[in-house]
Amino acid sequence: MKVIIGSDHGGFNLKSAIIQHLEDKGIDVKDVGPFDTDSVDYPDYAKPVAEAVQNSEYDRGILVCGTGIGMNIAANKHKGIRAALVHDTFSAHATREHNNSNILCMGERVIGTGLALDIVDIWLETEFEGGRHERRIEKIEQ
Ligand code: RB5
């Protein structure tokens, strides 16, 4: 699976932890930045991640800011993107099974690193259920 990740300054530390975690598991991750904690604007990093998932260059995207909210709003402006703001493991399962979410958004200022990494693992490993959920996603696209 090809994964692309981005953050702003508020999500930089959690982004770094996620990249390390995924690389330790042998999953290659493309990092669009930022590469330090200088203040930046989250839409500038949501855009390249959303576009790369939108055009199927990458299978899944992960976006981290202080709350995850700005990244979530920005990513969902892109057609074909189903970005999910997730801070618990139940929702990590459910949004993959029901929404086929293709971008995961989290807030570094909201949850601890341990929970965030569990959420990443669950979200990457859980399959979409299809069936009635496919019809609902199609209605969103329309
Ligand atoms: C940056 O201070 C903060 O606004 C940003 O990281 C994010 O929380 C926005 O939704």
Side-chain angles (χ1 to χ4, degrees):
M1 180 182 295
K2 292 180 72 181
V3 179
I4 185 165
I5 191 167
S7 74
D8 69 356
H9 53 287
F12 176 81
N13 294 310
L14 180 54
K15 171 169 72 76
S16 303
I18 293 169
I19 292 168
Q20 185 65 59
H21 177 71
L22 293 179
E23 287 179 349
D24 287 349
K25 293 171 66 118
I27 298 172
D28 203 25
V29 194
K30 166 74 175 171
D31 184 6
V32 302
F35 301 103
D36 57 42
T37 54
D38 290 352
S39 183
V40 294
D41 299 333
Y42 58 82
D44 295 338
Y45 296 87
K47 187 169 192 264
V49 169
E51 286 179 349
V53 174
Q54 198 178 28
N55 68 25
S56 301
E57 194 183 343
Y58 285 84
D59 303 305
R60 303 274 191 89
I62 299 174
L63 288 167
V64 190
C65 61
T67 60
I69 296 170
M71 287 297 200
N72 192 248
I73 292 169
N76 275 317
K77 293 290 181 189
H78 294 256
K79 191 166 174 56
I81 293 301
R82 294 175 299 280
L85 176 60
V86 176
H87 291 126
D88 66 277
T89 55
F90 174 81
S91 300
H93 274 289
T95 190
R96 283 292 311 134
E97 289 173 344
H98 291 198
N99 314 122
N100 199 15
S101 54
N102 47 17
I103 292 186
L104 171 66
C105 299
M106 292 186 292
E108 179 182 322
R109 297 171 185 160
V110 180
I111 52 170
T113 305
L115 175 56
L117 298 181
D118 279 353
I119 287 169
V120 167
D121 287 345
I122 290 166
W123 185 77
L124 288 177
E125 288 161 14
T126 304
E127 297 292 332
F128 178 46
E129 278 182 3
R132 67 191 187 282
H133 302 298
E134 189 75 62
R135 180 181 73 240
R136 292 163 186 167
I137 286 172
E138 185 54 32
K139 288 186 176 182
I140 295 172
E141 288 306 309
Q142 285 164 10

